[in-house]
Each structure stands twice: as structure tokens, then as C-alpha cells.
């Protein structure tokens, strides 16, 4: 799992399925892959895949 700093730009490579995370009244088992690690999509705006296209699965 990675920690990202708000207000900065990071390049997301793809998404993958993983452990379900519950936060902000929603749940997601989609994880976004960055160079520094993985972050649950539940923490991002942009829909189920946090703005990545559905075809961007790792």
C-alpha cells in the first residue's frame, strides 16, 4: 500500500482486484497501481476505477 500526498500529481499505471476497503460509506476491491505501490480506489474520485478505463486492468 502506498501513501500519496494530496495536491500532487501521480501517474497511475493500471488497476487490479484486491482486498475490499470500506471508507466514507462506500466499499471497493479495486486497487490503483502507482510506481510507489497500490492505493485503494475508494480514496479517489472518478468512479469505480478512479478515472482509469475499465480496460486498464493489470
Amino acid at each position: 500500500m502506498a501513501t500519496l500526498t494530496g495536491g500532487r500529481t501521480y501517474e497511475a499505471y493500471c488497476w487490479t482486484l484486491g482486498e475490499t476497503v470500506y471508507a466514507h460509506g462506500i466499499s471497493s476491491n479495486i486497487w490503483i497501481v502507482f510506481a510507489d505501490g497500490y492505493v485503494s480506489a475508494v480514496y479517489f474520485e472518478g468512479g469505480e476505477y478512479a478515472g482509469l478505463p475499465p480496460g486498464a486492468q493489470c
Side-chain angles (χ1 to χ4, degrees):
M1 182 162 51
T3 300
L4 303 178
T5 303
R8 294 192 57 200
T9 301
Y10 297 88
E11 183 176 354
Y13 296 109
C14 56
W15 62 267
T16 190
L17 298 176
E19 181 179 346
T20 300
V21 173
Y22 300 90
H24 312 291
I26 59 173
S27 64
S28 177
N29 69 334
I30 306 290
W31 288 77
I32 309 303
V33 180
F34 296 90
D36 296 335
Y38 298 76
V39 179
S40 173
V42 77
Y43 299 110
F44 294 93
E45 296 179 357
E48 183 177 10
Y49 303 105
L52 291 171
Q57 186 174 12
C58 300

